[in-house]
Amino acid sequence: MQCYGSPLYVYSRTDIEKNWREFDSAFGQHPHLVCYAVKANSNIAVLNVLAKIGAGFDIVSIGELERVLAAGGEASKCVFSGVAKTQAEIKRGLEVGIRCFNVESAAELVRIEQVASSLNTQASISIRVNPNVDAKTHPYISTGLKENKFGVDIDDALELYKTAQQSEHLLIKGLDCHIGSQITDVSPFIDALDKVLDLIEVLKNQGIDIEHLDLGGGVGITYDNEVPLDIAAYVAQVLKKVGDLEIILEPGRAIVGNAGVFITKVEFLKQNSDKSFALIDGAMNDLLRPAFYNAYHHVLPVRENSKGVDAKWDLVGPICETGDFLAKDRHLSLSEGDYLALMSAGAYGFTMSSNYNSRPRVAEVMVSDSEHHLIRKRETIQDLFNTEYLIND
Ligand SMILES: *Cc1c(COP(=O)(O)O)cnc(C)c1O
């Protein structure tokens, strides 16, 4: 903090690599690709570290695609998800030769075929089906139920595959699903797998061959006392059922979530008869998860403070919203000026941050062995409005 200032995100390269390798090595010699879901943490240094050890990438926008390319990632290892891909995004994906479009609707299939046809090329596609399983996670991050906007109904997929098979500009490569996020029980994944394997059988009987099965991301991590599923056991269960089908996974949170912390400083302590507030320099614009999902992040003092004020503290930021809290009722010994670490903040932390209340976005640092590197400079006050214009009259 001394040299980078506060608030701050800090990531561990060692942990990011270890987490990706845990997925990768679980497959052994079975054909597979572990595509890191870029939206969890899209800093180009994070992407570069993963590209160097062989990761593929799951992208959801042209911005993420360009980040991957700038970070040295291979287009041929990118799968492109997302419910409303624009013509420009599809065109760029085709130009750079991404591995596959994960198609989320009939209308999108038509659009991809049109763009591929106008470029006189073929687009590799996979249909994202909605297996209608309940991931039993927070409703905002559950995506595999019929009422969600994602994917096509599993019962409608056959028709879409038939349409794709008719087109000389579409190449059927895969089938995919992604049922939600922060899932800590293996059973919803296996329920979804059984459903998509049934569909693959139906497709095969119709002469439609699937080369890869993409089971999405969603593997949960420990924030509080959750017991996450065993990745090796999950992959082993998958491999028992899939024959020699190539498997793609799209983990995001499980790669970076526990590899990052958010550092914040105590500005003031404020106690009344009912409540103890620690007013910190970090806020909901920097780390949205507590305000947005009522998410829990463990809080540790960067240095133990035995002379502080012992209480159950709410950690609240300077933003003018009652929802601006990062933690509630935490037993800590605090003094003004203390630094605190919000743990498990590597996923959906910086990427969901904003400039709300005209707060510059924070710096990001990566620790690599005994070295530390600035991987994103803190925004300046000038950065906040240097792309804005006055109207002249
Ligand atoms: C968000 C998302 C992921 C990553 O989810 P995690 O829970 O971070 O693993 C993977 N695939 C798709 C299609 C997604 O939308």
Side-chain angles (χ1 to χ4, degrees):
M1 297 75 74
Q2 312 307 332
C3 56
Y4 298 113
S6 168
L8 183 69
Y9 278 99
V10 183
Y11 312 122
S12 157
R13 176 182 188 169
T14 309
D15 285 346
I16 293 170
E17 292 176 343
K18 177 173 70 68
N19 293 337
W20 184 84
R21 287 198 168 109
E22 188 175 356
F23 282 95
D24 187 57
S25 60
F27 285 94
Q29 297 302 310
H30 190 97
H32 70 280
L33 184 62
V34 180
C35 292
Y36 167 65
V38 173
K39 74 177 189 284
N41 185 327
S42 57
N43 186 291
I44 60 170
V46 172
L47 303 181
N48 175 251
V49 156
L50 287 166
K52 279 180 183 150
I53 58 173
F57 296 94
D58 170 47
I59 55 173
V60 294
S61 70
I62 193 168
E64 288 190 351
L65 175 57
E66 299 302 344
R67 280 179 176 278
V68 168
L69 298 176
E74 289 170 47
S76 62
K77 289 184 176 175
C78 285
V79 297
F80 199 150
S81 304
V83 285
K85 299 174 194 76
T86 66
Q87 275 175 333
E89 287 177 320
I90 296 163
K91 182 161 177 277
R92 184 69 179 145
L94 289 170
E95 280 168 0
V96 301
I98 63 160
R99 173 166 175 156
C100 187
F101 290 97
N102 289 345
V103 180
E104 304 221 16
S105 64
E108 190 193 338
L109 192 69
V110 171
R111 180 176 287 181
I112 291 173
E113 130 130 301
Q114 282 167 350
V115 178
S117 158
S118 73
L119 295 176
N120 204 11
T121 187
Q122 289 186 309
S124 297
I125 60 116
S126 160
I127 308 268
R128 174 171 175 181
V129 301
N130 189 334
N132 197 28
V133 298
D134 186 355
K136 300 187 188 71
T137 183
H138 189 285
Y140 285 12
I141 49 178
S142 175
T143 57
L145 282 168
K146 275 194 171 174
E147 66 253 34
N148 293 129
K149 69 180 176 183
F150 302 98
V152 305
D153 206 291
I154 195 158
D155 303 321
D156 301 334
L158 174 61
E159 280 313 305
L160 276 192
Y161 275 108
K162 283 184 175 164
T163 310
Q165 206 183 21
Q166 301 301 312
S167 166
E168 57 189 85
H169 294 289
L170 297 174
L171 269 179
I172 296 172
K173 290 285 180 188
L175 175 72
D176 73 284
C177 66
H178 169 76
I179 57 172
S181 198
Q182 184 53 19
I183 300 165
T184 50
D185 178 7
V186 77
S187 59
F189 288 117
I190 301 302
D191 292 350
L193 173 64
D194 289 338
K195 292 196 176 182
V196 293
L197 286 175
D198 287 347
L199 175 59
I200 287 177
E201 202 50 41
V202 170
L203 294 171
K204 195 187 259 172
N205 294 335
Q206 303 275 330
I208 298 167
D209 271 329
I210 298 297
E211 292 170 27
H212 76 243
L213 172 58
D214 179 343
L215 293 171
V219 172
I221 62 169
T222 303
Y223 286 102
D224 185 5
N225 49 18
E226 304 90 335
V227 181
L229 57 105
D230 178 337
I231 290 162
Y234 163 43
V235 171
Q237 278 200 60
V238 170
L239 294 187
K240 248 194 279 170
K241 290 172 181 263
V242 297
D244 48 18
L245 203 55
E246 177 177 7
I247 302 299
I248 295 180
L249 292 182
E250 305 170 347
R253 188 189 310 271
I255 307 290
V256 289
N258 278 328
V261 299
F262 177 69
I263 305 288
T264 180
K265 186 167 105 182
V266 177
E267 294 287 351
F268 299 112
L269 299 176
K270 182 172 173 179
Q271 291 181 287
N272 60 35
S273 48
D274 295 334
K275 270 293 189 194
S276 297
F277 292 107
L279 296 129
I280 54 178
D281 65 354
M284 64 186 284
N285 73 299
D286 306 312
L287 177 59
L288 183 61
R289 300 187 67 261
F292 199 36
Y293 310 115
N294 202 22
Y296 176 95
H297 287 271
H298 203 55
V299 180
L300 293 178
V302 170
R303 284 202 187 82
E304 284 301 336
N305 176 356
S306 54
K307 300 200 185 73
V309 183
D310 248 335
K312 276 202 159 176
W313 297 99
D314 280 9
L315 305 187
V316 298
I319 286 185
C320 314
E321 300 275 350
T322 306
D324 183 27
F325 65 90
L326 295 192
K328 285 189 168 165
D329 285 327
R330 301 306 170 84
H331 194 176
L332 293 160
S333 168
L334 295 181
S335 303
E336 276 183 20
D338 282 359
Y339 289 103
L340 299 172
L342 279 101
M343 307 304 286
S344 315
Y348 306 104
F350 187 90
T351 50
M352 293 179 92
S353 69
S354 77
N355 292 120
Y356 188 41
N357 274 217
S358 285
R359 290 167 51 84
R361 277 180 297 170
V362 307
E364 294 174 283
V365 167
M366 190 179 293
V367 176
S368 175
D369 294 322
S370 58
E371 294 176 355
H372 45 93
H373 306 267
L374 183 66
I375 59 169
R376 192 182 212 273
K377 143 171 153 327
R378 184 179 303 283
E379 287 177 349
T380 64
I381 299 299
Q382 193 62 40
D383 288 335
L384 292 172
F385 49 84
N386 65 4
T387 52
E388 299 175 18
Y389 304 102
L390 300 172
I391 54 165
N392 284 318
D393 58 2

